[in-house]
Amino acid sequence: MKKIFTLVAVALAAMSANAQDYYAAATYDADKNVVMAEEFQNAVIDTQNGKSVVTVDLTNVTMTAVGGTTPKEIDKDANVSEWNAIEWKTGNQGDIEFPYVQGTGNPYVKLLAEEVITDGQPTGTYRPAYEYYEPDGSKGLPVSGLYYEFKAKAEGTLVLGVWINKGNRKLFVVDKETQKALTPNVDYTLDGYENGVTNEDGTKAYNMNLPTKGTEGDDLYIWGAKGGSQAIWGWLNIPMKADQTYMVFLHSAQIGVSDVEFEAGTSGINDITNNTFDADAPVYNLAGQRVSKDAKGILIQNGKKFIRK
């Protein structure tokens, strides 16, 4: 069975010559509180358009995070007079160390107005209705709500740490130029709590019933509706071409982002596998801080991520 969590360690990447290609959206302070990165703390909220845009420019990849919201007051022509609150917030996966930043708003492609009907009678009051993305690109791309764009300056692999509230939400990776979802073949893998995350001694650390990938001819998504309602989290590995923009978003929900790492010149997760294990090697947390050998959570040792409960 293929081992997972074989990424080059976050801590080691942060200390390498390619350190500027790693970005943590959320870290911990001295009291173990989750703190969002400065870019999200300083995000400007555009209340007129119900949108907030955060840009992070790394050496070889640029991330644009777009947070949106939903209309509070809308007329029959779908003109919005008042938006609901929009914000960036932090979270963490229980007692497992997986800090993330999450915005608001479902990523819709078109905003519509729907008249409220009460007891079979029109009320003259309207509420928002939405059209969402289709994997063939026929309805266009999200224009508001929470979504992320990544533009590579060089060919390589984007490693994206993501958190989703419920595993039955479809997660798309989309080529922005063609507007089509990428086929979830072997190059698009979820490295998380699927198919046997292992402890240092080789025993299984945690087991989750994660959703299965969509299949071509059925639907194109990375995670999807075949899964349960529990939260899921892990790392998505996306091979990228230079000067090409990719979008990552859920069909009709919000996605939290933990960290971003770009490995220039690599084409897949197997290219950065390290099979050598040293039991005395230092252990790091996801913030790149060295921790004790008995620390709990998602840890990094020998360039591999593993979980200790």
Side-chain angles (χ1 to χ4, degrees), residues 170-189:
K170 294 179 181 180
L171 171 62
F172 295 108
V173 176
V174 176
D175 182 327
K176 188 175 182 180
E177 182 177 358
T178 66
Q179 301 190 9
K180 293 182 178 181
L182 300 176
T183 305
N185 56 27
V186 294
D187 290 330
Y188 298 86
T189 59

Side-chain angles (χ1 to χ4, degrees), residues 7 45 64-65 82 94 121 144 159 174 189 211 223 243 271:
L7 305 181
I45 306 299
T64 303
E82 185 178 358
Q121 298 297 317
S144 188
V159 183
V174 176
T189 59
W223 294 330
D243 300 318
D271 294 335

Side-chain angles (χ1 to χ4, degrees), residues 93 192-197 204 206-211 230-233 307:
Q93 181 52 44
Y193 300 90
E194 184 178 23
N195 297 331
V197 175
K204 202 164 188 176
Y206 202 84
N207 183 27
M208 292 184 71
N209 180 25
L210 287 186
Q230 76 276 14
I232 58 176
W233 61 97
I307 303 166

Side-chain angles (χ1 to χ4, degrees), residues 44-113:
V44 175
I45 306 299
D46 182 356
T47 54
Q48 181 176 355
N49 296 303
K51 188 177 291 188
S52 175
V53 180
V54 175
T55 300
V56 178
D57 194 23
L58 303 179
T59 301
N60 289 302
V61 65
T62 297
M63 178 182 78
T64 303
V66 180
T69 184
T70 53
K72 187 173 183 179
E73 298 288 340
I74 191 171
D75 65 19
K76 63 183 179 63
D77 297 318
N79 296 312
V80 180
S81 57
E82 185 178 358
W83 296 90
N84 287 309
I86 178 172
E87 63 177 339
W88 297 98
K89 55 187 178 181
T90 60
N92 185 61
Q93 181 52 44
D95 59 353
I96 300 295
E97 290 189 354
F98 196 89
Y100 60 88
V101 171
Q102 186 179 51
T104 50
N106 291 346
Y108 60 82
V109 300
K110 188 176 182 180
L111 176 63
L112 305 170

Side-chain angles (χ1 to χ4, degrees), residues 94-138:
D95 59 353
I96 300 295
E97 290 189 354
F98 196 89
Y100 60 88
V101 171
Q102 186 179 51
T104 50
N106 291 346
Y108 60 82
V109 300
K110 188 176 182 180
L111 176 63
L112 305 170
E114 176 183 70
E115 189 170 11
V116 177
I117 305 297
T118 303
D119 296 328
Q121 298 297 317
T123 63
T125 301
Y126 291 83
R127 61 191 175 194
Y130 307 95
E131 283 190 4
Y132 292 110
Y133 174 80
E134 291 293 336
D136 62 0
S138 59

